[in-house]
């Protein structure tokens, strides 16, 4: 067999065996607004805590604005992010709804959006809709778990937006 024909195959095999590198770690400035049926949520704030837990588990870093901080402009958030060493501002809005179902469990859903802003260039994504819920798994999935799911959606949105056009 000709060694010329085998070389490309061997080279391809080498590339297939190389470990896949995960997306690089990112530092986020997190601005979360949480409401319950349109009214400000009371602590503990499940989306905020879940997002930070998901970022930590995903080997990202998150700084958060205090929950009682008044809303700020995108430019103000960008400046804060740069000062904190964050490369991305994540603006997340979640409105929770819950209802007691037969048997005493709570059915919980959250709807909202994620907007990512590059702290250095100001480039931002379109508003990305998010929806989480525990329908069918009410006994095992509570608000904190749904908050982690929101954090996972944030990480995925970052991966997609950082991959480029």
């Amino acid at each position: 067999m000709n060694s010329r024909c085998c070389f490309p195959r061997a080279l391809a095999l080498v590339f297939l065996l190389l470990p896949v590198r995960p997306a690089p770690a990112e530092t986020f400035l997190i601005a979360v607004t949480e409401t319950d049926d349109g009214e400000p949520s009371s602590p503990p704030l499940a989306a905020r805590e879940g997002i930070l837990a998901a970022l930590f588990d995903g080997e990202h870093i998150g700084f958060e604005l205090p929950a009682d901080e008044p809303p700020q402009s995108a430019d103000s958030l960008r400046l804060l992010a740069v000062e904190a060493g964050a490369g991305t501002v994540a603006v997340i809005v979640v409105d929770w709804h819950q209802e007691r179902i037969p048997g005493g469990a709570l059915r919980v859903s959250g709807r909202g959006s994620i907007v990512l802003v590059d702290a250095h260039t100001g480039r931002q994504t379109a508003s990305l809709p998010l929806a989480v819920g525990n329908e069918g798994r009410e006994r095992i999935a509570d608000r904190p778990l749904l908050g982690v799911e929101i954090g996972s959606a944030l990480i995925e949105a970052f991966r997609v937006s950082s991959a480029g056009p």
Side-chain angles (χ1 to χ4, degrees):
M1 181 179 259
N2 186 337
S3 64
R4 275 181 152 177
C5 75
C6 294
F7 181 72
R9 290 182 190 155
L11 188 59
L13 182 61
V14 168
F15 283 114
L16 286 174
L17 294 176
L18 288 175
V20 176
R21 296 185 59 172
E26 179 64 29
T27 301
F28 294 89
L29 173 64
I30 308 295
V32 181
T33 302
E34 280 184 75
T35 56
D36 283 281
D37 295 319
E39 298 297 319
S41 295
S42 302
L45 300 174
R48 178 181 299 268
E49 291 177 9
I51 290 165
L52 292 171
L55 289 175
F56 180 79
D57 289 346
E59 299 182 0
H60 298 282
I61 298 170
F63 297 104
E64 62 180 320
L65 288 178
D68 57 356
E69 186 84 14
Q72 296 189 27
S73 71
D75 286 336
S76 295
L77 291 172
R78 283 182 51 220
L79 292 174
L80 283 171
V82 170
E83 287 176 20
T88 302
V89 177
V91 179
I92 299 134
V93 175
V94 180
D95 187 45
W96 294 105
H97 174 73
Q98 62 185 36
E99 61 184 283
R100 196 151 305 277
I101 60 172
L106 284 177
R107 178 165 296 145
V108 181
S109 63
R111 299 202 178 280
S113 63
I114 298 171
V115 175
L116 301 174
V117 181
D118 183 298
H120 301 289
T121 67
R123 188 182 132 253
Q124 72 180 45
T125 64
S127 180
L128 306 166
L130 73 86
V132 294
N134 70 348
E135 187 171 353
R137 54 188 185 136
E138 292 87 354
R139 299 222 182 271
I140 59 169
D142 55 5
R143 262 169 97 144
L145 179 64
L146 296 177
V148 172
E149 291 176 9
I150 293 170
S152 296
L154 165 61
I155 292 169
E156 183 59 27
F158 171 72
R159 285 186 180 141
V160 168
S161 73
S162 64

